[in-house]
Amino acid sequence: MASADIPLSVARALALVRSLGSVSEAARILGVSQPAVSKGIAQLEHNLGTQLLRRGNRPLGLTEEGGAVADYAHRADLLHDQLLARLEDARSNRTGTVRLGSFGSSASFQILPRTLSDFARASPGIRVEILEFPDEELEEALEDGIVDLAIMSLTDADTLEIASVASDRLVGLVSDGHPLAGRERVTPEEMAGYPFILTKGGSGPLVERWFAAAGVSPKVTHTILQVNSILALVEAGLGISIIAEMALPKSEGRYRVLNLSPEAPRSFGFVRRQGTARSYAAEQFWRFCCRHPID
């Protein structure tokens, strides 16, 4: 390697490219020119001696090495924010901050608003900071101590304590005028025949396993993180999709929600690692979750 330095600005740009699929969109959000971002990425590739972008793909994606650099930026920013939160707690004489990991839209739309509102009334001196990750990264965030606890899909990990278990399921999404719109249930084989929008959220691996169990692969034309973006593409007839039912907004749109056959249930709950040191704030929030089941 010519240099081991990894500029955070370039790493942050790669993180945006991963979520947006575009260097120009990443540059726009960062407030710099597209050529500057491209030059920074190219220079880092030269310094590290490895390719970071998959330039032949649309939307643009990252190589495994590029993903690792993007993860580095994400973790560096989280640790920076964590330090600032602790300093602010001390300055404001708060009793602490809880860093809560979340698996995304399902929790944000259906669970956390009520839970956090009730907890704020019970413990007004404690601040809860929400950090969203895909499920597989949530476990790493717990392991690394980036978050104190998380609400996530449950696994068989015996190093986790679990509270307030609830259930959800995957559902299919098609536009009103789609050939499958009149169906009550759809199979993997039927959905695999149409352009497919794959969620990059916590449900993504579950969707892929649902297709794999039937021995078929979806025709993935778009890979999207935000639920609202998925719904917009489905409504426009640009593809069909599968997401968690709890991730759906309460307002109705120009799409149909279909049951899956076979069904694809999932369980989730608040979890934390066993045997780790805990702050007063994190312990209070955990006890609150144990006393107030998810409904």
Side-chain angles (χ1 to χ4, degrees):
M1 288 185 191
S3 171
D5 293 334
I6 300 178
L8 263 179
S9 58
V10 179
R12 290 186 181 113
L14 286 169
L16 287 170
V17 170
R18 178 168 60 183
S19 62
L20 300 171
S22 166
V23 171
S24 59
E25 281 298 296
R28 181 182 64 80
I29 290 176
L30 291 171
V32 297
S33 69
Q34 185 269 334
V37 172
S38 296
K39 181 178 179 181
I41 293 174
Q43 183 63 53
L44 184 58
E45 288 179 320
H46 173 76
N47 291 347
L48 297 178
T50 189
Q51 187 175 345
L52 302 176
L53 291 180
R54 297 188 186 278
R55 290 178 172 81
N57 293 358
R58 287 294 181 272
L60 199 63
L62 304 186
T63 64
E64 184 176 349
E65 294 79 10
V69 175
D71 289 342
Y72 157 73
H74 185 52
R75 290 173 182 271
D77 287 338
L78 288 175
L79 291 172
H80 175 264
D81 292 344
Q82 177 184 334
L83 173 60
L84 292 181
R86 288 181 175 176
L87 294 174
E88 178 61 19
D89 287 343
R91 188 187 69 81
S92 304
N93 294 317
R94 281 199 297 255
T95 51
T97 295
V98 181
R99 293 160 297 150
L100 174 64
S102 170
F103 58 80
S105 300
S106 297
S108 299
F109 287 158
Q110 304 290 349
I111 301 166
L112 293 182
R114 178 173 177 177
T115 298
L116 297 183
S117 178
D118 290 347
F119 180 70
R121 286 192 293 269
S123 302
I126 296 177
R127 172 175 173 265
V128 180
E129 178 184 2
I130 302 173
L131 307 173
E132 289 192 351
F133 301 85
D135 277 354
E136 61 273 16
E137 293 183 23
L138 260 181
E139 291 194 43
E140 293 181 11
L142 280 170
E143 182 72 24
D144 295 345
I146 292 175
V147 296
D148 299 304
L149 62 156
I151 182 166
M152 61 184 287
S153 296
L154 300 182
T155 68
D156 296 327
D158 56 7
T159 59
L160 298 178
E161 294 181 72
I162 300 171
S164 302
V165 177
S167 297
D168 192 10
R169 63 173 186 151
L170 301 182
V171 293
L173 299 175
V174 302
S175 63
D176 283 342
H178 194 274
L180 296 176
R183 300 291 303 276
E184 181 180 349
R185 294 182 176 275
V186 288
T187 65
E189 292 82 2
E190 290 169 328
M191 297 201 79
Y194 298 94
F196 191 81
I197 303 163
L198 179 64
T199 174
K200 290 180 66 177
S203 301
L206 298 177
V207 173
E208 292 176 320
R209 287 197 290 270
W210 185 73
F211 280 107
V216 297
S217 299
K219 298 178 180 179
V220 177
T221 55
H222 303 282
T223 304
I224 307 292
L225 178 62
Q226 298 296 329
V227 169
N228 288 338
S229 298
I230 293 174
L231 294 177
L233 292 182
V234 169
E235 289 180 328
L238 298 177
I240 63 177
S241 189
I242 296 175
I243 65 173
E245 187 172 34
M246 279 193 171
L248 289 170
K250 293 181 179 180
S251 59
E252 296 183 359
R254 299 186 305 278
Y255 57 85
R256 300 290 179 90
V257 179
L258 308 178
N259 297 316
L260 301 184
S261 180
E263 293 185 349
R266 67 171 182 172
S267 298
F268 59 90
F270 289 100
V271 302
R272 67 178 183 180
R273 287 189 62 213
Q274 295 179 356
T276 56
R278 301 179 181 105
S279 67
Y280 168 81
E283 186 65 27
Q284 291 300 110
F285 188 76
W286 179 257
R287 291 180 180 179
F288 176 87
C289 293
C290 291
R291 294 194 305 268
H292 298 79
I294 299 171
D295 53 18

